[in-house]
Amino acid sequence: MNGAVEAANKNIKKIIEKMTVNYKDRHEMLPFALLAYRTSIRSSTGATPYSLVYGMETVLLIEVEIPSMRIMARAFNKKVRIREFSPGDLILWKVLHIALDSRGKFAYKYDGPFIVKEVFNGGAIILNDMDGNENALPVNADAFKKYYP
């Protein structure tokens, strides 16, 4: 139609020429050349042909052997506990001991309780303390756990 097939064939041929020593092993290198062509990003679309067809990036065999950031993130996300808060819940805020505390291991681990005023969809919440004073800045929900009086 518009020469796209011929251009793709030309690119695959260039890949095979770089991989082979003589013309007799071209048929052995064809699957590897096709994999390289299908998983490399095109400048015209900014995506790989594989991702355009299947809607996701391919996981290469080397990524299974040597963990990549994508594989490690997938393993980490399996262990994440979803914390669901709703307005009016009582929660405790985890204390990060930046300054040295004289009580050592007997120092408080959590501060509060606080009342959830508003919940955002990205995991941020706005708090009120027990006196009704509002904390104006949203805080990430990872630092909280529910309080059951």
Side-chain angles (χ1 to χ4, degrees):
M1 296 275 295
N2 58 4
V5 174
E6 288 82 7
N9 288 340
K10 179 181 69 174
N11 289 333
I12 293 170
K13 185 178 174 186
K14 284 182 184 177
I15 293 171
I16 290 175
E17 286 173 357
K18 292 177 183 176
M19 294 173 67
T20 58
V21 177
N22 57 13
Y23 70 93
K24 292 182 181 179
D25 1 336
R26 287 187 177 191
H27 67 282
E28 295 174 0
M29 293 297 164
L30 182 61
F32 302 112
L34 288 174
L35 179 69
Y37 181 76
R38 292 173 182 157
T39 58
S40 59
I41 295 175
R42 302 282 164 267
S43 59
S44 58
T45 60
T48 65
Y50 186 93
S51 66
L52 292 175
V53 172
Y54 297 107
M56 59 188 220
E57 286 295 326
T58 180
V59 177
L60 302 175
L61 294 176
I62 191 71
E63 288 180 308
V64 175
E65 294 288 328
I66 303 170
S68 67
M69 290 302 290
R70 182 171 39 168
I71 301 296
M72 293 171 71
R74 195 178 302 159
F76 173 79
N77 289 338
K78 286 180 185 176
K79 297 178 184 177
V80 172
R81 290 184 301 151
I82 304 297
R83 294 188 173 112
E84 306 241 348
F85 299 111
S86 58
D89 285 347
L90 292 175
I91 60 173
L92 296 173
W93 193 341
K94 185 169 183 68
V95 174
L96 300 174
H97 293 287
I98 295 172
L100 292 177
D101 194 352
S102 62
R103 293 172 288 191
K105 68 178 182 179
F106 299 109
Y108 293 113
K109 306 283 189 272
Y110 287 92
D111 192 20
F114 295 95
I115 302 170
V116 176
K117 179 181 179 196
E118 190 175 350
V119 179
F120 298 102
N121 61 356
I125 56 177
I126 293 183
L127 302 174
N128 284 346
D129 60 6
M130 294 303 283
D131 298 330
N133 300 327
E134 180 180 331
N135 184 4
L137 297 174
V139 185
N140 192 350
D142 288 344
F144 298 101
K145 71 176 185 178
K146 282 196 177 183
Y147 174 68
Y148 301 100

